[in-house]
């Protein structure tokens, strides 16, 4: 199957990028970035676990699913630097990845539905599919870096909190979801870049940046006969004149 067709590589990259964005959205919304476990020595009371997210904070007794303390305004009073950075980094990473998905979709649709020979009137407005996939791959790589760096920092900052205070802090499932989503974004970027490099060597006008002009068309027309021409010698050969119309 030619590189002009929408094949498994680009479809797999689009699905992988979509799943990664969904994972980032789940990591942003879940209140499970850090746990702070508070122990009590009173046998008549239960231990408390405080679940800290990017936007809310919830405190629960052991064995209970209901929040004893629920703070929906936590995002305005975050006192942990790593979580504050994540509040800006993860939405930015999601926006970058969604932009890459949009470019990837444009490239796939352009490859599937645009004819080989462009319209002369629309030649300057054409979208280059290969360029869309390449830029999308670079944007996926950028989104991966924006997401992965602060997510990994949470692990080291958690160890810093345990050394500074008490060993009561632990990172939660949202950290793993964010790192896995960053890995998905990196896989998507590598897949698109490999597809671009593998197919670029093929001789095809598909890999030109843009059509600067439409393919030349040749039309053949004979010179009209006149009364003077009809009186010419019978030995004269009527040779068609080739005119070029771009």
């Amino acid at each position: 199957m030619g590189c002009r067709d929408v094949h498994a590589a680009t479809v797999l990259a689009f699905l992988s990028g979509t799943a990664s964005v969904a994972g980032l959205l789940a990591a942003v919304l879940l209140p499970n970035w850090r746990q702070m476990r508070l122990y009590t020595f009173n046998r008549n009371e239960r231990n408390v676990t405080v679940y800290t997210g990017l936007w809310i904070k919830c405190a629960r007794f052991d064995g209970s699913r209901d929040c004893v303390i629920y703070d929906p305004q936590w995002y305005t009073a975050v006192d942990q630097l790593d979580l504050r950075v994540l509040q800006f980094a993860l939405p930015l990473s999601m926006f970058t990845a969604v932009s890459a998905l949009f470019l990837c979709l444009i490239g796939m649709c352009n490859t599937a539905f645009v004819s080989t020979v462009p319209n002369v009137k629309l030649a300057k407005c054409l979208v280059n599919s290969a360029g869309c996939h390449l830029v999308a791959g670079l944007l996926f790589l950028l989104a991966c870096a924006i997401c992965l760096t602060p997510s990994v920092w949470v692990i080291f900052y958690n160890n810093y909190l345990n050394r500074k205070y008490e060993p009561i802090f632990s990172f939660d499932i949202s950290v793993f979801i964010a790192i896995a989503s960053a890995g998905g974004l990196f896989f998507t970027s590598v897949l698109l870049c490999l597809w671009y490099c593998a197919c670029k060597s093929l001789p095809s006008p598909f890999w030109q940046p843009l059509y600067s002009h439409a393919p030349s068309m040749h039309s053949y027309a004979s010179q009209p006969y006149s009364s003077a021409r009809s009186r010419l010698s019978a030995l004269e050969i009527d040779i068609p004149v080739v005119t070029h119309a771009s």
Side-chain angles (χ1 to χ4, degrees), residues 63-83:
S64 175
R65 293 181 175 270
D66 299 327
C67 294
V68 180
I69 300 176
Y70 181 80
D71 185 7
Q73 302 297 324
W74 164 248
Y75 66 94
T76 62
V78 174
D79 57 353
Q80 300 169 15
L81 183 58
D82 57 340
L83 299 184

Side-chain angles (χ1 to χ4, degrees), residues 158-178:
N158 189 79
N159 297 331
Y160 165 76
L161 292 177
N162 286 328
R163 291 193 305 267
K164 184 176 181 180
Y165 300 103
E166 294 181 11
I168 57 176
F169 298 95
S170 61
F171 49 89
D172 209 345
I173 188 173
S174 293
V175 178
F176 300 104
I177 295 177

Side-chain angles (χ1 to χ4, degrees), residues 2 6 26 48 56 60 83-84 134-135 141 166 169 193-194 212:
V6 177
V48 177
I56 61 175
R60 298 175 183 172
L83 299 184
R84 179 66 76 183
L134 180 61
V135 175
L141 185 61
E166 294 181 11
F169 298 95
C193 292
L194 287 178
S212 58

Side-chain angles (χ1 to χ4, degrees), residues 3-31:
C3 290
R4 292 188 56 86
D5 302 323
V6 177
H7 48 76
T10 53
V11 174
L12 179 60
F14 183 80
L15 294 178
S16 175
T18 304
S20 300
V21 172
L24 282 180
L25 180 62
V28 167
L29 298 179
L30 286 175

Side-chain angles (χ1 to χ4, degrees), residues 193-239:
C193 292
L194 287 178
W195 174 83
Y196 178 85
C197 295
C199 295
K200 189 177 180 181
S201 59
L202 297 180
S204 172
F206 175 57
W207 301 104
Q208 299 298 327
L210 280 177
Y211 285 100
S212 58
H213 56 81
S216 61
M217 297 174 290
H218 302 278
S219 61
Y220 298 90
S222 299
Q223 290 182 346
Y225 287 96
S226 62
S227 58
R229 182 179 176 83
S230 61
R231 293 192 296 269
L232 293 177
S233 173
L235 298 178
E236 182 179 357
I237 301 176
D238 188 7
I239 302 177

